[in-house]
Amino acid sequence: DGGITQSPKYLFRKEGQNVTLSCEQNLNHDAMYWYRQDPGQGLRLIYYSQIVNDFQKGDIAEGYSVSREKKESFPLTVTSAQKNPTAFYLCASSIRAGAGNTIYFGEGSWLTVV
Amino acid sequence: DAKTTQPTSMDCAEGRAANLPCNHSTISGNEYVYWYRQIHSQGPQYIIHGLKNNETNEMASLIITEDRKSSTLILPHATLRDTAVYYCIVRAGGSEKLVFGKGTKLTVNP
């Protein structure tokens, strides 16, 4: 099936450890995104990439890092510098950048830091 | 900040049409109106979007007023599985981000 696959669905980590969330899409989309959602809140943009080997910071990039070495993959690393990493993380993609192009979301990954 | 205003919650009877309003009085000419919905612990699901004209797809219809300051999402025959939080989003032409507000919690009752 075509779509956006995020893994793992649930992840627990100790404070101070880096953790990497995987996002893969087989939709041949150029643009990919990472959002964060806290309970009862809307989504906030962490990073986005319009094309391979390029990415831009969103509104809350501090404490996060990304790479875009392949078109289909956009992993997110939550570093120990992120002060409140416990959240629901959502990966998304669109055929290309631009407001007229629909953004589609994966099923999300729950990260709990203890 | 979100550029839209939606009611906090709404109820609808199963089988009836659900009409979800959204105000976006400061919308600009190059900004699209997008609707998503989210069921708890799942990723947002795209429903429909439009710029100026009314739009319809297999899930819903989007009615945009002539002055573009408000819109209505219509689910023609609501089912229990349509219970979710519905987000109305205005997305600027040069923007890569979707700004989600708090949305409308729609409850479809048997």
Side-chain angles (χ1 to χ4, degrees):
Chain A
D1 285 346
I4 302 166
T5 302
Q6 291 187 238
S7 61
K9 177 69 175 178
Y10 299 96
L11 187 59
F12 295 85
R13 278 294 181 267
K14 291 184 178 179
E15 196 171 331
Q17 289 182 332
N18 291 354
V19 60
T20 297
L21 306 179
S22 170
C23 179
E24 303 279 331
Q25 53 95 2
N26 60 3
L27 302 169
N28 200 33
H29 285 177
D30 282 334
M32 296 187 74
Y33 309 81
W34 275 105
Y35 282 84
R36 167 182 173 143
Q37 186 174 32
D38 293 284
Q41 303 297 315
L43 280 67
R44 292 182 290 168
L45 182 64
I46 305 172
Y47 268 99
Y48 66 96
S49 168
Q50 295 181 330
I51 199 167
V52 175
N53 292 321
D54 181 68
F55 49 83
Q56 307 293 329
K57 292 182 179 180
D59 295 325
I60 55 165
E62 186 176 350
Y64 299 98
S65 67
V66 294
S67 63
R68 186 84 187 278
E69 297 176 1
K70 297 186 296 183
K71 186 175 185 177
E72 60 270 23
S73 178
F74 191 41
L76 173 74
T77 297
V78 185
T79 75
S80 57
Q82 168 51 232
K83 291 182 171 52
N84 297 297
T86 295
F88 188 43
Y89 289 88
L90 288 154
C91 179
S93 72
S94 66
I95 190 163
R96 64 183 63 84
N101 298 301
T102 301
I103 293 176
Y104 297 95
F105 287 85
E107 286 303 305
S109 292
W110 284 97
L111 173 63
T112 301
V113 175
V114 296
Chain B
D1 289 341
K3 298 177 65 175
T4 61
T5 304
Q6 298 178 253
T8 302
S9 63
M10 293 182 66
D11 285 279
C12 177
E14 188 177 19
R16 305 297 293 268
N19 298 292
L20 290 87
C22 179
N23 286 323
H24 31 79
S25 58
T26 61
I27 194 169
S28 300
N30 68 343
E31 292 182 318
Y32 289 79
V33 179
Y34 276 82
W35 282 85
Y36 285 81
R37 69 183 182 185
Q38 187 175 28
I39 297 170
H40 183 62
S41 298
Q42 296 184 19
Q45 179 187 22
Y46 165 77
I47 302 173
I48 199 167
H49 75 282
L51 183 61
K52 295 180 183 178
N53 299 322
N54 297 338
E55 303 287 344
T56 296
N57 63 20
E58 64 277 5
M59 286 184 69
S61 295
L62 174 60
I63 308 298
I64 302 174
T65 58
E66 194 168 339
D67 63 7
R68 301 186 70 238
K69 293 185 176 182
S70 66
S71 60
T72 300
L73 177 74
I74 301 172
L75 307 178
H77 305 287
T79 70
L80 299 179
R81 285 182 290 183
D82 292 322
T83 293
V85 178
Y86 287 76
Y87 296 98
C88 170
I89 298 158
V90 168
R91 185 177 175 198
S95 172
E96 287 310 308
K97 69 179 177 183
L98 298 171
V99 180
F100 284 71
K102 294 194 181 297
T104 296
K105 175 77 167 75
L106 174 68
T107 302
V108 180
N109 300 304

